[in-house]
């Protein structure tokens, strides 16, 4: 079993689409995080990420659109963590929130003003270094 998650990135507007977790969850309630979750069956990490995007915001990402960002062992959860992103200019109005309290396109310049989970914050720092944004 592994965790796979990530975000959408709009290179034109320099915004990242994140998910605000609802207050019903035991893990990071009310915080901003990636779209994602645990694998089901024999899913690959990419398949898990693509399924989670579909379940959580009704967005279908093609395999060729999914860009790996990082992967590492998450000792807090005892699972391997795979992080991906998809470049997209999709308007928020064309998404349907299936889980969580909210979702929003967040300007990179304001990302760290949001209540991000620790892993989301550190993974986004990797993204910013790689993108030199």
């Amino acid at each position: 079993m592994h965790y796979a998650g990530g975000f959408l990135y709009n290179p034109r507007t320099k915004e990242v689409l994140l998910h605000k977790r609802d207050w019903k969850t035991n893990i990071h309630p009310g915080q901003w995080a990636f779209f994602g979750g645990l694998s089901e069956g024999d899913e690959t990490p990419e398949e898990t990420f693509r399924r989670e995007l579909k379940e959580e915001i009704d967005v279908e990402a093609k395999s060729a659109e999914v860009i790996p960002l990082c992967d590492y062992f998450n000792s807090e959860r005892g699972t391997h963590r795979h992080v991906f992103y998809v470049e997209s200019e999709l308007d928020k109005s064309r998404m349907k929130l299936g889980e969580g309290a909210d979702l929003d396109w967040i300007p990179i310049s304001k990302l760290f003003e949001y209540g991000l989970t620790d892993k989301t914050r550190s993974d986004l720092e990797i993204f910013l270094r790689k993108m030199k944004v």
Side-chain angles (χ1 to χ4, degrees):
M1 184 177 299
H2 57 261
Y3 166 88
F7 55 95
L8 302 185
Y9 171 63
N10 185 328
R12 185 179 53 78
T13 62
K14 304 277 191 267
E15 294 176 311
V16 172
L17 185 79
L18 295 179
H19 178 235
K20 184 171 186 180
R21 299 182 58 81
D22 62 34
W23 294 96
K24 296 180 270 185
T25 182
N26 294 329
I27 302 171
H28 307 296
Q31 289 187 287
W32 289 86
F34 295 146
F35 303 98
L38 295 175
S39 59
E40 293 179 358
D42 60 354
E43 285 179 325
T44 65
E46 179 191 306
E47 289 168 339
T48 302
F49 173 60
R50 291 174 55 217
R51 176 182 49 76
E52 291 288 342
L53 278 180
K54 179 67 176 158
E55 289 176 1
E56 294 182 11
I57 57 174
D58 198 27
V59 168
E60 289 190 40
K62 295 180 177 92
S63 185
E65 298 172 321
V66 177
I67 303 166
L69 177 62
C70 60
D71 66 273
Y72 53 91
F73 184 73
N74 179 352
S75 57
E76 294 167 22
R77 299 265 172 239
T79 58
H80 206 82
R81 180 179 174 92
H82 301 266
V83 181
F84 302 92
Y85 67 97
V86 173
E87 290 188 356
S88 174
E89 294 185 11
L90 189 63
D91 191 82
K92 182 179 164 180
S93 67
R94 297 193 48 217
M95 301 172 201
K96 180 182 171 192
L97 186 64
E99 291 180 21
D102 200 3
L103 72 151
D104 209 357
W105 282 106
I106 302 169
I108 283 178
S109 61
K110 296 185 182 211
L111 264 179
F112 300 109
E113 296 173 18
Y114 283 68
L116 304 173
T117 70
D118 291 341
K119 294 284 187 242
T120 301
R121 175 180 296 278
S122 62
D123 294 340
L124 284 170
E125 288 170 349
I126 291 169
F127 174 73
L128 295 178
R129 281 195 302 274
K130 282 188 175 185
M131 299 299 287
K132 297 180 176 148
V133 181

